Amino acid sequence: MARVFVYGTLKKGQPNYKYLINTAMGLAKFQGRGRTVEKYPLVIAGKYNIPYMLNIPGTGHRVAGEIYSVDEQMLQFLDEFEGCPDMYQRSLKRIEVLEWEGKGGTGEAWAAADHILECFVYSTATYPPEWVGLPYHDSYDSSGKHGLSYVLRESR
């Protein structure tokens, strides 16, 4: 099992959460909530209002999200779903655990390390330069105050 940190449309209550819990795609188990240790710009961009975490460490905010344990099948699905490696790139990033529901030996290992876990995160280094000038968010909600509703894939 691998740990994945999601900050956008795959979170609970967001438009693509249905894919994360679809066992036909693989297994994903909610472990807890966290935020990035480093700051990153989280922007909503493009004609479909997609959330992107730009891979510019030290700029922006500590991004909030959810931590999941996923099997290899789900990880492969997520790579394809996220357009990895062209649209997003999957890399390990340090995540501070804020709430933990995970059970089991490996799940409790974070407690000994200042509540920090390494998780796979889909961020992007392949974005138009003007995205750096967009507003930065510390968390994402497709129906948030920003007014930039996510356009579902089936509606594009």
Side-chain angles (χ1 to χ4, degrees):
M1 300 289 275
R3 285 207 182 92
V4 175
F5 175 78
V6 298
Y7 57 84
T9 64
L10 289 167
K11 295 188 308 183
K12 288 181 183 180
Q14 297 304 309
N16 290 324
Y17 179 65
K18 61 189 175 202
Y19 297 112
L20 199 58
I21 58 170
N22 182 345
T23 54
M25 309 299 185
L27 299 176
K29 183 174 188 255
F30 178 77
Q31 297 287 283
R33 299 186 196 301
R35 65 182 174 184
T36 59
V37 170
E38 291 192 79
K39 295 177 178 181
Y40 291 93
L42 172 59
V43 300
I44 301 168
K47 63 182 177 179
Y48 303 123
N49 296 324
I50 297 171
Y52 293 92
M53 190 169 93
L54 307 183
N55 197 3
I56 310 172
T59 301
H61 303 287
R62 296 181 68 194
V63 176
E66 299 171 349
I67 302 163
Y68 288 84
S69 247
V70 302
D71 66 4
E72 187 61 34
Q73 182 184 348
M74 178 58 77
L75 195 59
Q76 287 178 7
F77 167 78
L78 290 172
D79 279 355
E80 187 176 313
F81 182 81
E82 299 290 10
C84 186
D86 301 323
M87 187 164 151
Y88 291 94
Q89 298 80 49
R90 174 168 49 95
S91 60
L92 285 171
K93 300 206 182 302
R94 292 173 1 113
I95 304 300
E96 177 188 14
V97 176
L98 301 174
E99 297 173 33
W100 190 254
E101 292 183 13
K103 305 267 189 293
T106 58
E108 274 68 38
W110 65 270
D114 297 328
H115 303 288
I116 306 295
L117 283 176
E118 283 212 328
C119 299
F120 284 121
V121 180
Y122 291 90
S123 62
T124 186
T126 53
Y127 53 86
E130 60 269 19
W131 286 9
V132 176
L134 294 172
Y136 297 165
H137 304 273
D138 60 358
S139 67
Y140 175 80
D141 182 341
S142 70
S143 56
K145 288 184 256 175
H146 49 71
L148 301 168
S149 295
Y150 175 77
V151 178
L152 294 169
R153 288 173 180 231
E154 49 270 26
S155 301
R156 297 179 191 169

